[in-house]
Amino acid sequence: MTLGTLIVRNLRRHTFRVTLTAFGIATVILAFNLIVTTVRAWYAGVEASVPNRLISRHAASLSIHLPLAYRDRIATLDGVTGVTYANWFGGVYRDAKGFFPQFAVEPASFLDLHAELSVTEEERQAFLSDRRGCVIGHRLAALYGWKVGDVIALKGTIYPGDWEFVVRGVYRGADAATDETWMLLRWDYMNERRQQIDPDRAGTVGWYVIRIADPSLAGSVSRSVDAEFANSTAETRTETEQAFQAGFVAMSGAIIGALKLLAIVLNGVTLLVLANTLVMAVRERTKELAVLRTLGFRPRHLTALVTGEALLIAGLGSALGIAITIPATYIFGALVAAKLGNFFQHLTLYSSTLLLSASVTLCIAVCAAAFPIMTILRDKIAEGLRHAG
Amino acid sequence: MNQPVVEFQRVFKSYFRGEQEIPVLKDFCLSVPQGQFLAIMGPSGSGKTTILNLVAGLDRPTQGTIHAAGIAVSQQGEADLARWRARHIGFVFQFYNLIPVLTAAENVELPLLLSKLARRERFKHVQAALGLVGLSDRIQHYPRQLSGGQEQRVGIARAIVSDPTILLADEPTGNLDRSAAQAIMALLTRLHQELNKTILMVTHDPQAADYAQEILHFDKGKVD
């Protein structure tokens, strides 16, 4: 026999109570994992940012465009090794739920600067040679069953009218963080239609993507770009791609903050549930624990007994919670996709999220054990032996 | 005469209920030589159990010094006392106080978990202790599967398994019928005679006290 034997036997005294507690913890872990997965999906763009790319946009607002002529001036600045540009297209497929990111881009330079969007040379050439062509992400293609050669009809919102694009390529992300739900269409095709319907805004771009020689030059190149267009009618604001993406996330700061707070509250619930179970268990065994102390068990032995019990319950709850989380995330992802389309393209359950939830729960178990341990060690042995419970 | 293994020197002990002081021991002196079987008798609330608790370091005197098994018990820290108890004190309780989720053998093994003995060695000691109390055939039984007398014998086996210097018995027959009580007292007498154990036993029962070498009558904090 070991102390572990006693811990396991103690747990088996109240199987129902322990099971309920473990299920409670599992439920909290499930909720925690879904929240963390959702928050991580929000930050996916930030995580996928490339450190040697800058974004330059209008200083006043992203909705105000910049002249196309800036491209050549930016390209000549020190530290700049490439420039491309894009516009947010904002079309709708079928209905409002059919939302996915669409960018009107200059195809050759955009693909050059975004090496993480992997297309075959054949697909690249097809895209470059077809003004109505487009390249779509693998996940987007899978979602709608699109393949090369298919025609995608979009209804323009920013650029009104019916638009048709021919799929010329399907890109795959270089890693798991790469967004595979984009649709890249050709800026020149969009601009051509814009000259007819909105000639005042023709020849402008939403933002520039600037590749720099070294990430350490980000600050100086950003300042150079902004200085280049200072005191003009279209001043720029240049920042790293990561900061640019983080700015989008910050727009949802209140929601993300609330979700993070909720995750903390959930862990507080685990603490209370577990502490309650342990306090009940220890109170029932006040006399037995006093007997153990009479036999010579030291405070560290009693601490090990109670903490071991807490860790075992938390471990059971964690294992159960993780087992539930895996299919639940899949279902959650499907439900979110049905409601929000591709808003969360990266609703992916990472093993690090599972590890985080289990680690947090085990840490909480140690904290929860502290309450009853303090009670045991504070009580006098003689009083414990007189305990009637 | 053997050296005293337990010695109370002018010990006072009071309990407090709010502001009210309830004296239990008043200027109490006691000397128990090695190998003595002493019965302490007295009415309820006279402080008998307090004497055992003080010897074992489960409680502390308000004033005075207690020496037992080579140390000044009243001057030790909790962790040191726990280590000392594991080595020198065996405790037999009135209500047996076995752990219900452990078998007889596992209950007896508990004090040995604090030693450096290997599992196999521990099991040998457990078998010997349970054999000594006549329960070799009940090793795998849980407390609920044993009679009161058998439970108390397991309690005694647990108390002696680590070969302590002093055996403290708090009303060991108080919860047993006459025949079971006689068997337990015969067992304690045997432990005293054959293993030369120093035994301090608290009891109400004059018949149980008769098994002891010496009887101490105790009332209102003082020896009668």
Side-chain angles (χ1 to χ4, degrees):
Chain A
M1 188 185 68
T2 61
L3 278 185
T5 312
L6 187 52
I7 291 169
V8 173
R9 300 275 180 85
N10 280 335
L11 271 186
R12 281 159 49 182
R13 288 178 193 226
H14 296 285
T15 316
F16 187 62
R17 186 166 72 195
V18 169
T19 306
L20 282 181
T21 306
F23 266 103
I25 292 169
T27 309
V28 169
I29 284 198
L30 169 65
F32 179 84
N33 283 334
L34 290 180
I35 288 172
V36 171
T37 300
T38 305
V39 171
R40 287 187 75 161
W42 234 302
Y43 283 98
V46 179
E47 289 177 8
S49 308
V50 176
N52 69 341
R53 283 203 300 249
L54 306 178
I55 303 291
S56 190
R57 61 183 175 89
H58 197 286
S61 167
L62 191 59
S63 62
I64 306 173
H65 291 179
L66 297 169
L68 180 60
Y70 281 12
R71 178 185 55 177
D72 296 338
R73 290 171 66 184
I74 292 171
T76 60
L77 295 174
D78 283 346
V80 175
T81 61
V83 185
T84 189
Y85 52 88
N87 279 57
W88 178 254
F89 185 73
V92 170
Y93 178 65
R94 291 184 187 156
D95 54 35
K97 283 184 182 174
F99 164 83
F100 48 86
Q102 303 132 23
F103 302 108
V105 303
E106 195 290 304
S109 59
F110 194 89
L111 289 175
D112 284 346
L113 261 67
H114 295 80
E116 71 273 21
L117 310 181
S118 177
V119 289
T120 64
E121 185 54 32
E122 191 184 338
E123 288 174 326
R124 179 188 166 92
Q125 290 305 324
F127 184 35
L128 295 181
S129 59
D130 182 359
R131 288 161 63 84
R132 288 174 59 235
C134 70
V135 169
I136 58 174
H138 172 73
R139 287 178 64 148
L140 181 64
L143 184 68
Y144 291 109
W146 290 329
K147 56 188 184 303
V148 172
D150 285 354
V151 175
I152 300 172
L154 298 182
K155 186 168 282 296
T157 54
I158 302 169
Y159 308 104
D162 294 324
W163 298 76
E164 285 190 348
F165 303 96
V166 182
V167 178
R168 292 301 178 195
V170 177
Y171 74 82
R172 282 186 180 272
D175 54 48
T178 306
D179 193 337
E180 290 184 336
T181 64
W182 287 0
M183 175 183 182
L184 305 178
L185 50 106
R186 289 182 53 151
W187 184 89
D188 52 358
Y189 177 52
M190 179 209 73
N191 194 50
E192 186 182 275
R193 287 273 298 268
R194 195 165 54 167
Q195 282 172 335
Q196 296 164 11
I197 56 178
D198 186 12
D200 291 344
R201 296 180 72 191
T204 58
V205 303
W207 62 90
Y208 287 98
V209 181
I210 304 163
R211 186 174 60 206
I212 53 179
D214 190 292
S216 64
L217 298 173
S220 59
V221 174
S222 295
R223 284 190 294 275
S224 300
V225 173
D226 292 343
E228 181 72 18
F229 306 111
N231 301 316
S232 70
T233 52
E235 293 188 340
T236 57
R237 178 178 165 187
T238 308
E239 58 198 346
T240 60
E241 189 176 83
Q242 189 175 43
F244 181 74
Q245 295 284 3
F248 277 107
V249 176
M251 291 176 195
S252 310
I255 297 171
I256 295 171
L259 285 174
K260 286 179 177 173
L261 184 66
L262 189 59
I264 294 168
V265 169
L266 284 171
N267 285 310
V269 172
T270 302
L271 180 70
L272 292 176
V273 168
L274 197 49
N276 184 51
T277 298
L278 291 172
V279 165
M280 277 198 286
V282 165
R283 190 180 297 155
E284 287 162 1
R285 284 180 237 145
T286 300
K287 195 169 188 175
E288 287 176 26
L289 291 164
V291 169
L292 292 178
R293 293 172 79 186
T294 305
L295 296 180
F297 279 67
R298 297 197 282 281
R300 67 184 175 90
H301 296 120
L302 304 181
T303 301
L305 275 176
V306 178
T307 308
E309 200 168 329
L311 287 172
L312 211 52
I313 297 173
L316 284 172
S318 296
L320 196 60
I322 287 170
I324 298 169
T325 298
I326 294 166
T329 305
Y330 181 78
I331 295 166
F332 180 62
L335 289 174
V336 169
K339 288 279 179 193
L340 300 174
N342 277 299
F343 187 73
F344 285 123
Q345 76 281 357
H346 271 104
L347 207 59
T348 306
L349 181 63
Y350 295 96
S351 54
S352 58
T353 302
L354 298 177
L355 193 64
L356 174 72
S357 63
S359 306
V360 168
T361 305
L362 294 180
C363 288
I364 286 171
V366 174
C367 296
F371 298 110
I373 288 169
M374 280 191 293
T375 309
I376 295 168
L377 299 182
R378 201 175 47 226
D379 288 349
K380 289 183 177 168
I381 303 174
E383 286 174 9
L385 290 173
R386 283 196 291 271
H387 194 269
Chain B
M1 188 69 176
N2 286 332
Q3 287 293 311
V5 73
V6 175
E7 195 166 26
F8 280 61
Q9 294 171 343
R10 306 201 64 184
V11 171
F12 291 78
K13 174 66 185 175
S14 298
Y15 292 111
F16 291 88
R17 189 174 294 155
E19 296 282 304
Q20 187 190 2
E21 181 178 358
I22 303 163
V24 179
L25 298 182
K26 296 172 196 164
D27 203 10
F28 179 70
C29 294
L30 176 70
S31 184
V32 181
Q34 167 72 41
Q36 189 175 53
F37 185 174
L38 174 69
I40 303 170
M41 291 193 71
S44 292
S46 59
K48 307 185 300 291
T49 298
T50 300
I51 293 172
L52 296 191
N53 288 344
L54 289 171
V55 173
L58 306 181
D59 209 346
R60 290 182 183 274
T62 311
Q63 195 182 318
T65 311
I66 300 159
H67 285 87
I71 65 160
V73 179
S74 45
Q75 289 163 15
Q76 304 297 313
E78 284 299 323
D80 288 338
L81 268 179
R83 263 190 290 271
W84 170 81
R85 263 198 305 274
R87 175 68 194 88
H88 293 286
I89 300 292
F91 217 110
V92 180
F93 302 93
Q94 179 180 355
F95 296 105
Y96 334 127
N97 287 346
L98 301 180
I99 307 296
V101 293
L102 300 179
T103 62
E106 289 165 342
N107 266 289
V108 175
E109 193 184 353
L110 277 172
L112 299 179
L113 293 180
L114 306 170
S115 71
K116 290 178 178 169
L117 291 175
R119 184 181 293 231
R120 191 172 296 174
E121 286 295 306
R122 292 203 305 264
F123 189 65
K124 279 184 188 169
H125 281 71
V126 169
Q127 278 183 314
L130 282 170
L132 200 64
V133 299
L135 285 178
S136 294
D137 57 339
R138 295 285 189 273
I139 279 183
Q140 294 305 323
H141 283 62
Y142 285 90
R144 64 176 181 277
Q145 297 166 326
L146 300 172
S147 68
Q150 288 171 330
E151 281 196 76
Q152 190 58 297
R153 281 194 273 165
V154 173
I156 292 171
R158 182 177 64 186
I160 61 169
V161 72
S162 56
D163 191 22
T165 312
I166 306 164
L167 199 56
L168 304 173
D170 188 1
E171 303 272 13
T173 59
N175 206 38
L176 300 174
D177 59 37
R178 178 50 52 197
S179 66
Q182 284 173 348
I184 291 299
M185 288 316 302
L187 178 60
L188 287 176
T189 306
R190 217 178 111 212
L191 291 173
H192 168 243
Q193 288 172 347
E194 293 179 9
L195 304 176
N196 196 31
K197 289 286 166 204
T198 305
I199 302 176
L200 268 70
M201 178 181 72
V202 159
T203 184
H204 273 106
D205 181 0
Q207 289 186 40
D210 283 343
Y211 283 84
Q213 277 179 310
E214 197 171 324
I215 302 174
L216 191 74
H217 290 277
F218 189 76
D219 193 16
K220 295 178 182 169
K222 290 192 169 180
V223 178
D224 275 350

